């Protein structure tokens, strides 16, 4: 027993040493930014998020009617559009459109105005991932439980956790390329969701939903190709090559996951809605089998039945079913 206790103490001591070593390597320019002093607050935030969306939220909503949240979702989506535009602009002005080569770009560790600008936008990108946790909370409150998939949960929790460590050590350099690309994709994505949440009068502008997944796939290809450069360069001064490895793995892994989603949704049609359900993404409209679904409303006729908004009268064969 004494040997076991001694072994546990040694393991604990090594863990503390590793933790102190990691903290010592943090970029000091981020020390005054919110939630950046230690990984504790960030980790606690993500644990609370998972607890709410996987357990507490569904239990609270079990015997309640789903919230509509139309106005809140419109404001939320278009706010993220504006924020993503600002983030892309700041990444460009902080290096990608000024001093970066788009190949091996090291992290500028100085206190120059441009370097500090990159630190700020790197933190802002990470914080936007915390804001985007609201995507899943909207699903829970609107009782769209079918949209809370493994892919959705993993993406929304894995991104902020890994990027916290990324900016803690390397706020900038070639590792920030995928953040800029991701923010560019989110301009398009949240603009789509904002229009969708605005109501049926905007549906004629939303014919391109299927291509949203294609845009995501292109994103992961670009990210992986950019990181792959590192393996073919004769020399590279990027200070944290481990992040190149992780970004390459991340891009490839999510390319596989989103490719599977594409095949299941658009090739095999396995994600077609069950009767009475709506496969919406953050309030997005979906077109399946000639029917148009918007925020739980089905427009159009099927098998001689007429569907009215907000769950009104069903007639014909659908009523018999």
């Amino acid at each position: 027993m004494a040997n076991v206790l001694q072994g546990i103490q040694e393991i604990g001591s090594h863990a503390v040493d590793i933790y102190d070593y990691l903290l010592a390597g943090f970029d000091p320019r981020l020390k005054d930014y919110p939630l950046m002093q230690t990984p504790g607050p960030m980790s606690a935030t993500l644990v609370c998020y998972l607890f709410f969306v996987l357990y507490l939220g569904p239990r609270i909503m079990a015997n309640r009617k789903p919230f509509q949240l139309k106005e809140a979702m419109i404001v939320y989506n278009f706010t993220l559009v504006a924020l993503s535009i600002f983030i892309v602009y700041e990444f460009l002005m902080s290096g990608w459109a000024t001093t970066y080569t788009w190949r091996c770009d090291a992290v500028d560790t100085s206190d120059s105005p441009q370097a500090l600008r990159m630190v700020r936008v790197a933190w802002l990108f990470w914080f936007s991932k915390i804001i985007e946790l609201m995507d899943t909370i909207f699903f829970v409150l609107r009782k769209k439980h079918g949209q809370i998939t493994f892919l959705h949960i993993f993406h929304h929790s894995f991104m902020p956790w890994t990027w916290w460590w990324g900016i803690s050590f390397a706020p900038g350099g070639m590792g920030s390329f995928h953040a800029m690309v991701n923010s560019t994709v989110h301009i398009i994505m949240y603009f789509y969701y904002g229009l969708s949440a605005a109501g049926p009068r905007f549906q004629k502008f939303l014919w391109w939903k299927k291509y949203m997944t294609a845009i995501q796939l292109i994103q992961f290809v670009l990210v992986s190709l950019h990181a792959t450069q590192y393996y073919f360069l004769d020399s590279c001064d990027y200070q944290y090559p481990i992040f190149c490895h992780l970004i390459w793995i991340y891009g490839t892994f999510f390319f596989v996951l989103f490719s599977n989603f594409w095949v299941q949704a658009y090739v095999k049609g396995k994600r077609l809605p069950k009767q009475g359900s709506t496969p919406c993404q953050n309030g997005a409209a979906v077109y399946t089998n000639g029917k148009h679904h918007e925020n739980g409303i089905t427009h159009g006729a099927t098998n001689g039945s007429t569907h009215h908004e907000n769950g009104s009268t069903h007639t014909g064969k659908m009523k018999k079913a």
Side-chain angles (χ1 to χ4, degrees), residues 57-280:
R59 286 180 66 88
I60 292 175
M61 294 300 299
N63 298 316
R64 290 178 169 85
K65 293 182 179 180
F67 293 99
Q68 297 303 314
L69 304 175
K70 177 180 177 180
E71 292 77 10
M73 288 170 55
I74 293 173
V75 172
Y76 169 76
N77 286 307
F78 284 113
T79 298
L80 281 176
V81 170
L83 179 61
S84 298
I85 291 173
F86 179 74
I87 289 173
V88 172
Y89 175 78
E90 287 296 294
F91 270 124
L92 290 171
M93 294 299 102
S94 299
W96 287 102
T98 54
T99 58
Y100 280 20
T101 65
W102 294 66
R103 301 200 69 190
C104 176
D105 296 296
V107 179
D108 185 350
T109 58
S110 71
D111 289 327
S112 69
Q114 188 173 40
L116 293 178
R117 191 175 185 177
M118 177 63 80
V119 170
R120 182 184 66 184
V121 70
W123 177 85
L124 188 59
F125 173 78
W126 171 77
F127 190 71
S128 73
K129 301 298 110 180
I130 298 297
I131 297 174
E132 288 167 14
L133 298 179
M134 285 298 300
D135 286 4
T136 325
I137 294 174
F138 278 131
F139 284 151
V140 173
L141 296 180
R142 296 173 64 234
K143 302 185 77 169
K144 303 294 183 182
H145 304 306
Q147 299 304 310
I148 306 177
T149 62
F150 167 77
L151 174 59
H152 179 90
I153 292 290
F154 184 78
H155 180 69
H156 276 69
S157 55
F158 184 75
M159 270 290 286
W161 194 85
T162 54
W163 243 86
W164 188 93
W165 292 96
I167 65 171
S168 294
F169 289 94
M174 67 183 300
S176 64
F177 174 78
H178 79 286
M180 183 176 64
V181 174
N182 183 252
S183 295
T184 303
V185 170
H186 280 201
I187 295 172
I188 304 171
M189 186 176 73
Y190 284 105
F191 180 72
Y192 176 92
Y193 297 154
L195 285 180
S196 178
R201 64 185 180 277
F202 292 97
Q203 298 311 312
K204 61 183 178 180
F205 303 112
L206 301 178
W207 51 267
W208 40 283
K209 174 182 169 36
K210 179 177 180 179
Y211 302 103
M212 294 294 295
T213 305
I215 293 171
Q216 293 273 28
L217 291 172
I218 293 171
Q219 169 191 201
F220 299 129
V221 170
L222 291 175
V223 167
S224 297
L225 287 176
H226 183 264
T228 302
Q229 293 181 99
Y230 179 82
Y231 304 111
F232 298 96
L233 295 171
D234 294 331
S235 62
C236 182
D237 296 329
Y238 182 63
Q239 299 95 319
Y240 298 94
I242 186 174
F243 291 131
C244 288
H245 309 326
L246 292 175
I247 290 169
W248 187 90
I249 293 172
Y250 171 87
T252 304
F253 180 69
F254 274 97
F255 179 82
V256 172
L257 287 180
F258 275 78
S259 296
N260 179 67
F261 173 85
W262 174 278
V263 171
Q264 299 300 323
Y266 300 116
V267 178
K268 296 183 178 180
K270 290 185 177 180
R271 290 181 61 85
L272 298 181
K274 296 179 181 179
Q275 183 175 333
S277 66
T278 306
C280 296

Side-chain angles (χ1 to χ4, degrees), residues 1-12 14:
M1 179 63 71
N3 291 334
V4 172
L5 292 176
Q6 183 178 359
I8 294 174
Q9 289 176 350
E10 289 179 357
I11 292 173
H14 288 311

